[in-house]
Amino acid sequence: MTIPRLTDAERDAALGALSGWTLRADGLAISRDFRFADFSEAFAFMTRVALLAEQADHHPEWSNVYNGVSITLTTHDAGGLSHRDAAMAEAIDRLL
């Protein structure tokens, strides 16, 4: 099953509906940085995101340094952004 890549208009609409997410320079991914009080809060957030990712079978690219978590979303099978990335970003935002 091929996952369609968002058109430029669909991508722009999806990004406009998301708060704090930015488009990567190449237009193929969105990213957001999160800050928490300490490492424990950051790790707890990552655990909740991991559970969402497993349920959706759509896994982020991410990194963690102390109280910070950086997340990048892209759909490799689509060669860029898909509806799965927008849905994952929305689900992640609901965790906050």
Side-chain angles (χ1 to χ4, degrees):
M1 175 177 90
T2 302
I3 299 170
R5 190 162 125 183
L6 295 178
T7 65
D8 289 350
E10 291 169 331
R11 179 197 65 206
D12 293 344
L15 192 59
L18 297 170
S19 178
W21 292 87
T22 58
L23 186 63
R24 196 167 67 188
D26 64 7
L28 300 178
I30 55 175
S31 61
R32 183 171 176 187
D33 295 327
F34 300 87
R35 295 283 175 252
F36 300 92
D38 55 29
F39 178 76
S40 293
E41 282 190 20
F43 195 84
F45 171 74
M46 291 178 71
T47 300
R48 292 190 308 272
V49 171
L51 294 171
L52 287 175
E54 279 297 298
Q55 289 174 347
D57 192 28
H58 189 58
H59 304 88
E61 299 172 12
W62 59 5
S63 65
N64 162 247
V65 177
Y66 183 57
N67 68 334
V69 177
S70 297
I71 297 178
T72 299
L73 299 171
T74 189
T75 302
H76 298 287
D77 292 342
L81 288 170
S82 77
H83 69 281
R84 298 180 79 185
D85 302 303
M88 180 62 71
E90 289 172 4
I92 290 169
D93 286 348
R94 285 193 297 271
L95 295 175
L96 301 174

